[in-house]
Amino acid sequence: MVIVDISESILNDRHLIEKTLQVVLPGESTSVGRVMRYAVLGAGQRLRPILALRIARTLGCDGPHAMRAAAAIEMLHCASLIVDDLPCMDDDSLRRNRAAVHIEFGEAKAVLAAFALVALAAKSVGDQPGFQIRLLSTLDCDSLIAGQALDLELSGGSRNTQRSYVTALKTVPLFQLAAEAGTLSTSVSREERHAALSFGTEFGVSYQLVDDYLDGEIDDLRQVTEQFDRARECLEPLGERARHLEDLLDYLNAKIWEDGSRHR
């Protein structure tokens, strides 16, 4: 019953994000607009923007600024997925249970759509210039791009030994950005902000560990549960207000146990 309640709650937040994305994205009157909508709308989990919304809600500062920032993060994430799937990168033909963007529309349109999504993400938070700079800086050579470059270079044993470093560069930054999006209000205290940002980091690591575990890349479930504990510890300063953030960890845990082929 608890898992069902958590899932319904996340579905509700996902619906809020979807409605915002539907409005923010360009229409289908242009070919690139059609590609952008295909890349973003669909079966995504939306955990990054949901994290932003829930942190803002926990801190009492949810509103239009938080929603636009959350949507911007998702558009940036989807742009990165378009690039990840290209033949010159990970060369994946499927994304979110359907054809990858470059398979459906061709590589040229895919690249254009990725650029356009980054630009739209930045434009949509133009009234928050500090956050706009942080959003764009996640694409620099010390963050997502560095993580993707390193991921391309690694194989075999070296991939395993460098796994945590790749996660820190490629996965965690967007979760950290989501946490920042939830703390944009000036009424947030330094302690609350630190707790939220720390949770964003540890939740990003938790997400990647669950993904690696379900893919069979790591076998030690204890490694995952210990990471969940580290994430929960970050929330202690927020007390009972952080219940909706803890639910996100419970959601990740439920994903593990719903995979009957590996874990039952």
Side-chain angles (χ1 to χ4, degrees), residues 22 40 72-73 80 94 120 123 144 157 161 183 201 243 263:
Q22 288 274 5
V40 175
I73 291 164
S80 74
L94 292 175
L120 183 57
K123 181 180 178 181
L144 297 184
T161 58
T183 64
T201 298
R243 180 61 252 177
H263 307 296

Side-chain angles (χ1 to χ4, degrees), residues 10-24 40-41 45-53 66-71 74:
I10 286 175
L11 282 173
N12 289 336
D13 282 343
R14 192 176 294 162
H15 180 64
L16 293 175
I17 296 294
E18 294 287 342
K19 286 176 61 178
T20 301
L21 291 170
Q22 288 274 5
V23 172
V24 172
V40 175
L41 303 176
Q45 293 185 82
R46 313 298 191 205
L47 285 181
R48 293 159 189 81
I50 288 173
L51 173 64
L53 289 186
M67 180 61 77
R68 285 199 301 273
E74 185 64 12

